[in-house]
Amino acid sequence: MTHLFTADPSAHVFDGRIYIYPSHDIDEGDAFDDLGSHFAMKDYHVFSMAHPEAEAIDHGVAMRVEDIPWAEKQLWAPDAAHKNGTYYLFFPAKDYDGIFRIGVAISTSPGGPFTAQPQAIKNSFSIDPAVFEDENDNYLMYFGGIWGGQLQRWRTGSFKAEGEGPFIHLPEDNEPALCAKVAKLSNDLLEFVEEPKDVVILDEAGMPLLQGDNERRFFEAPWVHKYNGKYYFSYSTGDTHYICYAMSDNPYGPFTYKGRILNPVVGWTSHHSIVEFQNKWYLFYHDSSLSKGVTHLRSIKCIELTYDEFGHIHTIDPYR
């Protein structure tokens, strides 16, 4: 898509067609900072394709920030799910206290428009929701992001507003890294039915990754898919700009680190999704090449993803 800037693509196959739920980048003139103030997105568009090489169709504005009663600003990376004829759009936004919450909106069409629920999901916080449909009609939401995503401000179980900047409340480098969260959703997919739990990533020795291990530890952009009976938890390392992954036999983890999926792209951020379509796997991601490197004006890309005989993902160099 070249007619507007899009990022953070969540791709799904609905009704035999690929639907993509991205954030919509705009330039509001906000100063660049490590809290992401320049990511000032105000609405969502939904796109779809008949197949990965086809033209992407813009289904128009799916929802605006003014349509969400509890949200003030910053409609960051969303995700979507489908159940019993209803389509769900999950999204983070800052409420009127400046705290990121996660909301949900519904539609009878995968292309929207979506109608937001009047309140954010109870006990939700931080950013980057990703909803995984497992067996037995279980839907799990993975979420979280540090620095501007505020995950570090929730370490004690309640929001800590004191202190300035992205590094306040982070663990020390020699402490276990902050984890993404996971929680099972209710039958109507509108609430959590349990307290969010840590998604722990272990190293090759079975020990949790440390906060200072910033080439492997979780930063933001969780995503889960399943391949040959194994659960794959993938994520961005943020300030080191990799998309990495870990594997487990359990959707709650712990997950063991396995390697990199995507090397750094043009622009600061990296955010992705992984989807199967007609027996092939695809990585959707973004970079800032269309804007010639403006880090908050990004564009979606798609490339085939492959595995070796052990189920390990081949690392992708985006510019080779």
Side-chain angles (χ1 to χ4, degrees):
M1 289 78 74
T2 59
H3 63 293
L4 46 73
F5 291 106
T6 52
D8 313 317
S10 292
H12 294 270
V13 177
F14 296 137
D15 300 325
R17 189 174 178 87
I18 300 172
Y19 282 85
I20 308 155
Y21 301 85
S23 52
H24 174 200
D25 281 351
I26 58 174
D27 191 350
E28 286 285 278
D30 296 283
F32 287 60
D33 62 37
D34 288 330
L35 293 174
S37 301
H38 45 299
F39 296 102
M41 300 84 106
K42 294 181 176 181
D43 62 21
Y44 293 115
H45 285 238
V46 178
F47 298 84
S48 70
M49 299 189 295
H51 54 83
E53 291 79 30
E55 178 184 1
I57 304 300
D58 185 351
H59 293 269
V61 175
M63 189 171 67
R64 302 176 178 85
V65 68
E66 55 263 36
D67 301 327
I68 307 165
W70 59 269
E72 181 183 19
K73 60 183 179 180
Q74 288 181 291
L75 297 184
W76 284 13
D79 192 23
H82 170 257
K83 185 177 182 180
N84 296 336
T86 299
Y87 297 87
Y88 297 81
L89 183 70
F90 302 92
F91 59 93
K94 278 186 179 173
D95 65 16
Y96 287 90
D97 294 321
I99 299 173
F100 268 115
R101 303 287 183 181
I102 296 173
V104 57
I106 61 175
S107 177
T108 57
S109 168
F114 287 85
T115 301
Q117 297 295 295
Q119 301 293 332
I121 296 174
K122 186 179 179 181
N123 296 327
S124 68
F125 54 94
S126 198
I127 60 169
D128 292 355
V131 174
F132 172 70
E133 179 183 355
D134 203 4
E135 286 87 4
N136 303 317
D137 207 31
N138 288 324
Y139 289 73
L140 300 174
M141 179 186 288
Y142 300 81
F143 63 94
I146 64 174
W147 292 22
Q150 302 179 339
L151 187 61
Q152 69 276 4
R153 293 185 178 272
W154 291 92
R155 289 180 66 190
T156 62
S158 60
F159 186 79
K160 298 295 184 184
E162 65 270 14
E164 298 293 330
F167 310 118
I168 195 78
H169 305 301
L170 282 172
E172 297 297 325
D173 283 355
N174 62 352
E175 294 181 313
L178 279 180
C179 299
K181 303 293 184 178
V182 58
K184 184 180 177 181
L185 292 170
S186 57
N187 286 334
D188 60 8
L189 307 192
L190 299 180
E191 298 289 347
F192 296 153
V193 296
E194 61 187 4
E195 290 293 319
K197 300 174 174 64
D198 282 348
V199 181
V200 177
I201 304 172
L202 306 176
D203 64 16
E204 59 278 2
M207 299 298 294
L209 295 183
L210 301 180
Q211 190 66 32
D213 189 356
N214 66 342
E215 291 195 351
R216 298 193 297 175
R217 62 88 175 94
F218 171 81
F219 188 101
E220 62 186 359
W223 186 264
V224 169
H225 75 282
K226 195 173 184 180
Y227 175 77
N228 282 355
K230 298 288 187 180
Y231 296 92
Y232 290 67
F233 177 76
S234 49
Y235 56 95
S236 171
T237 62
D239 55 339
T240 51
H241 319 295
Y242 296 110
I243 298 294
C244 293
Y245 76 104
M247 295 171 61
S248 178
D249 294 321
N250 189 314
Y252 285 90
F255 291 82
T256 300
Y257 179 87
K258 293 298 180 182
R260 297 171 183 168
I261 297 175
L262 182 68
N263 284 332
V265 299
V266 173
W268 197 94
T269 68
S270 199
H271 196 121
H272 73 297
S273 60
I274 296 169
V275 66
E276 184 182 16
F277 183 77
Q278 295 181 353
N279 299 316
K280 289 187 176 183
W281 288 86
Y282 295 91
L283 177 75
F284 284 78
Y285 65 102
H286 67 236
D287 72 9
S288 296
S289 58
L290 184 63
S291 66
K292 301 189 186 309
V294 180
T295 201
H296 64 289
L297 297 178
R298 298 160 293 180
S299 299
I300 293 170
K301 303 292 182 70
C302 174
I303 192 169
E304 188 175 350
L305 180 144
T306 58
Y307 306 81
D308 68 15
E309 70 244 55
F310 305 106
H312 298 152
I313 296 172
H314 293 123
T315 302
I316 295 168
D317 188 326
Y319 305 112
R320 284 187 182 173

Coordinates of all heavy atoms in Angstrom, one line a residue, residues 141-180:
M141 N -5.0 -14.0 24.8 CA -4.4 -12.7 24.4 C -3.0 -12.6 25.0 O -2.8 -12.7 26.2 CB -5.2 -11.5 24.9 CG -4.6 -10.2 24.4 SD -5.4 -8.7 25.1 CE -6.9 -8.8 24.1
Y142 N -2.0 -12.3 24.1 CA -0.7 -12.0 24.5 C -0.5 -10.5 24.3 O -1.0 -9.9 23.3 CB 0.4 -12.7 23.6 CG 0.2 -14.2 23.7 CD1 -0.7 -14.9 23.0 CD2 1.1 -15.0 24.6 CE1 -0.9 -16.3 23.1 CE2 1.0 -16.4 24.6 CZ 0.0 -17.0 23.9 OH -0.1 -18.4 24.0
F143 N 0.2 -9.8 25.2 CA 0.3 -8.4 25.1 C 1.5 -7.9 25.9 O 2.1 -8.6 26.7 CB -1.0 -7.7 25.5 CG -1.3 -7.9 27.0 CD1 -0.9 -7.0 28.0 CD2 -2.1 -9.0 27.4 CE1 -1.3 -7.1 29.3 CE2 -2.4 -9.2 28.8 CZ -2.0 -8.2 29.7
G144 N 1.8 -6.6 25.6 CA 2.9 -5.9 26.4 C 4.0 -5.3 25.6 O 4.2 -5.7 24.4
G145 N 4.6 -4.3 26.1 CA 5.7 -3.6 25.5 C 6.3 -2.7 26.5 O 5.6 -2.0 27.3
I146 N 7.7 -2.6 26.5 CA 8.4 -1.8 27.5 C 8.6 -0.4 26.9 O 8.2 -0.1 25.8 CB 9.7 -2.4 28.0 CG1 10.7 -2.6 26.8 CG2 9.4 -3.8 28.6 CD1 12.0 -3.2 27.3
W147 N 9.3 0.5 27.7 CA 9.5 1.9 27.3 C 8.2 2.6 27.2 O 7.4 2.6 28.1 CB 10.4 2.0 26.1 CG 11.8 1.6 26.2 CD1 12.4 0.7 27.2 CD2 13.0 2.0 25.4 NE1 13.7 0.6 27.0 CE2 14.1 1.3 25.9 CE3 13.1 2.8 24.3 CZ2 15.4 1.5 25.4 CZ3 14.3 2.9 23.7 CH2 15.5 2.3 24.3
G148 N 7.9 3.0 26.0 CA 6.6 3.8 25.8 C 5.4 2.9 26.0 O 4.3 3.4 26.2
G149 N 5.5 1.6 25.9 CA 4.4 0.7 26.1 C 4.0 0.5 27.6 O 3.1 -0.2 27.9
Q150 N 4.8 1.1 28.5 CA 4.5 1.2 29.9 C 4.5 -0.1 30.7 O 4.2 -0.1 31.9 CB 3.1 1.9 30.1 CG 3.0 3.3 29.5 CD 1.6 3.9 29.7 OE1 0.6 3.2 29.9 NE2 1.6 5.2 29.6
L151 N 4.9 -1.2 30.1 CA 4.9 -2.5 30.9 C 5.7 -2.4 32.2 O 5.3 -3.0 33.2 CB 5.4 -3.6 30.0 CG 5.3 -5.0 30.5 CD1 3.9 -5.4 30.7 CD2 6.0 -6.0 29.5
Q152 N 6.8 -1.7 32.1 CA 7.7 -1.6 33.3 C 7.0 -0.9 34.5 O 7.3 -1.1 35.7 CB 9.0 -0.9 33.0 CG 8.9 0.6 32.7 CD 8.6 0.8 31.2 OE1 8.3 -0.1 30.5 NE2 8.5 2.1 30.8
R153 N 6.0 -0.1 34.2 CA 5.3 0.7 35.3 C 4.3 -0.2 36.0 O 3.6 0.2 37.0 CB 4.6 1.9 34.7 CG 5.6 2.9 34.2 CD 4.9 4.2 33.7 NE 5.9 5.2 33.3 CZ 6.5 6.1 34.1 NH1 6.2 6.1 35.4 NH2 7.3 7.0 33.7
W154 N 4.1 -1.5 35.5 CA 3.1 -2.4 36.1 C 3.8 -3.5 36.9 O 3.2 -4.5 37.2 CB 2.2 -3.0 35.1 CG 1.3 -2.0 34.5 CD1 1.5 -1.2 33.4 CD2 0.0 -1.6 35.0 NE1 0.4 -0.4 33.2 CE2 -0.6 -0.6 34.1 CE3 -0.8 -2.1 36.1 CZ2 -1.8 -0.1 34.3 CZ3 -2.0 -1.5 36.3 CH2 -2.6 -0.5 35.4
R155 N 5.1 -3.4 37.2 CA 5.8 -4.5 37.8 C 5.3 -4.9 39.2 O 5.4 -6.1 39.5 CB 7.3 -4.1 38.0 CG 8.1 -4.0 36.7 CD 9.5 -3.6 36.9 NE 10.3 -4.7 37.7 CZ 11.5 -4.5 38.2 NH1 12.1 -3.4 38.0 NH2 12.1 -5.5 38.8
T156 N 4.7 -4.0 39.9 CA 4.1 -4.3 41.2 C 2.6 -4.7 41.2 O 2.0 -5.0 42.2 CB 4.3 -3.1 42.2 OG1 3.5 -2.0 41.7 CG2 5.7 -2.7 42.3
G157 N 2.0 -4.7 40.0 CA 0.6 -5.1 39.8 C -0.3 -3.9 39.7 O -1.5 -4.0 39.5
S158 N 0.3 -2.7 40.0 CA -0.5 -1.4 39.8 C 0.4 -0.4 39.1 O 1.6 -0.5 39.1 CB -1.0 -0.9 41.1 OG 0.1 -0.6 42.0
F159 N -0.2 0.6 38.5 CA 0.5 1.5 37.6 C 1.3 2.5 38.5 O 0.7 3.1 39.4 CB -0.5 2.3 36.8 CG 0.1 3.2 35.8 CD1 0.7 2.7 34.6 CD2 0.2 4.6 36.0 CE1 1.3 3.6 33.7 CE2 0.8 5.4 35.1 CZ 1.3 4.9 33.9
K160 N 2.5 2.6 38.2 CA 3.4 3.5 38.9 C 3.7 4.8 38.1 O 4.4 4.7 37.1 CB 4.8 2.9 39.3 CG 4.6 1.7 40.2 CD 4.1 2.1 41.6 CE 4.1 0.9 42.5 NZ 3.5 1.3 43.9
A161 N 3.0 5.9 38.4 CA 3.1 7.1 37.6 C 4.3 7.9 37.8 O 4.7 8.7 37.0 CB 1.8 7.9 37.8
E162 N 5.0 7.7 39.0 CA 6.1 8.6 39.3 C 7.3 8.2 38.4 O 7.5 7.1 38.0 CB 6.5 8.4 40.8 CG 7.0 7.0 41.2 CD 5.8 6.1 41.6 OE1 4.7 6.4 41.4 OE2 6.1 5.0 42.2
G163 N 8.1 9.2 38.2 CA 9.3 9.1 37.4 C 9.1 9.4 35.9 O 8.0 9.1 35.4
E164 N 10.2 9.9 35.3 CA 10.1 10.3 33.9 C 11.0 9.4 33.0 O 12.0 8.9 33.5 CB 10.5 11.8 33.8 CG 9.7 12.8 34.5 CD 8.3 12.9 33.9 OE1 8.1 12.7 32.7 OE2 7.3 13.2 34.7
G165 N 10.6 9.3 31.8 CA 11.4 8.6 30.8 C 11.1 7.2 30.7 O 10.4 6.6 31.5
P166 N 11.7 6.5 29.6 CA 11.3 5.1 29.3 C 12.1 4.1 30.2 O 11.7 2.9 30.2 CB 11.8 5.0 27.9 CG 13.0 6.0 27.8 CD 12.6 7.1 28.6
F167 N 13.1 4.5 30.9 CA 13.9 3.5 31.6 C 13.5 3.4 33.1 O 14.0 2.5 33.8 CB 15.4 3.9 31.5 CG 15.8 4.2 30.1 CD1 16.3 5.4 29.7 CD2 15.7 3.2 29.1 CE1 16.7 5.7 28.4 CE2 16.1 3.4 27.8 CZ 16.5 4.7 27.4
I168 N 12.7 4.3 33.6 CA 12.3 4.2 35.0 C 11.5 2.9 35.3 O 10.7 2.5 34.4 CB 11.4 5.5 35.4 CG1 11.3 5.6 36.9 CG2 10.1 5.5 34.7 CD1 12.5 6.2 37.5
H169 N 11.8 2.3 36.4 CA 11.1 1.1 36.8 C 11.5 -0.2 36.1 O 11.0 -1.3 36.3 CB 9.6 1.2 36.7 CG 9.0 2.4 37.5 ND1 9.2 2.5 38.9 CD2 8.3 3.4 37.1 CE1 8.6 3.6 39.3 NE2 8.0 4.2 38.2
L170 N 12.5 -0.1 35.1 CA 13.0 -1.3 34.5 C 13.8 -2.1 35.4 O 14.5 -1.6 36.3 CB 13.8 -0.9 33.2 CG 13.1 -0.5 32.0 CD1 14.1 0.0 30.9 CD2 12.3 -1.7 31.4
P171 N 13.9 -3.4 35.2 CA 14.8 -4.2 36.0 C 16.3 -3.9 35.7 O 16.6 -3.3 34.6 CB 14.5 -5.7 35.6 CG 13.2 -5.6 34.9 CD 13.1 -4.2 34.3
E172 N 17.2 -4.2 36.6 CA 18.6 -4.1 36.3 C 19.0 -5.1 35.2 O 18.3 -6.1 35.0 CB 19.4 -4.3 37.6 CG 19.1 -3.3 38.7 CD 19.5 -1.8 38.3 OE1 20.5 -1.7 37.6 OE2 18.8 -0.9 38.7
D173 N 20.1 -4.8 34.6 CA 20.6 -5.6 33.5 C 20.8 -7.1 33.9 O 20.6 -8.0 33.1 CB 21.9 -5.1 32.9 CG 21.6 -3.9 32.0 OD1 20.5 -3.6 31.7 OD2 22.6 -3.3 31.5
N174 N 21.2 -7.3 35.2 CA 21.4 -8.7 35.7 C 20.2 -9.3 36.3 O 20.3 -10.4 36.9 CB 22.6 -8.7 36.7 CG 22.3 -7.8 37.9 OD1 21.3 -7.1 38.0 ND2 23.2 -7.9 38.9
E175 N 19.1 -8.7 36.2 CA 17.8 -9.3 36.7 C 17.0 -9.9 35.5 O 17.3 -9.6 34.4 CB 17.0 -8.2 37.3 CG 17.6 -7.6 38.6 CD 16.6 -6.6 39.2 OE1 16.1 -5.7 38.5 OE2 16.4 -6.7 40.5
P176 N 16.1 -10.9 35.8 CA 15.3 -11.4 34.8 C 14.6 -10.3 34.0 O 14.1 -9.4 34.6 CB 14.3 -12.3 35.5 CG 15.1 -12.7 36.8 CD 15.9 -11.5 37.1
A177 N 14.5 -10.5 32.7 CA 13.9 -9.6 31.8 C 12.4 -9.5 32.1 O 11.7 -10.4 32.5 CB 14.1 -9.9 30.4
L178 N 11.8 -8.3 31.8 CA 10.4 -8.1 31.9 C 9.7 -9.0 30.8 O 10.3 -9.2 29.7 CB 10.0 -6.7 31.6 CG 10.0 -5.8 32.8 CD1 9.6 -4.4 32.4 CD2 9.1 -6.3 34.0
C179 N 8.6 -9.6 31.1 CA 7.9 -10.6 30.2 C 6.7 -10.0 29.6 O 6.0 -9.1 30.2 CB 7.5 -11.8 31.0 SG 8.9 -12.7 31.7
A180 N 6.4 -10.4 28.4 CA 5.0 -10.2 27.8 C 4.0 -10.9 28.8 O 4.4 -11.7 29.6 CB 4.9 -10.8 26.4

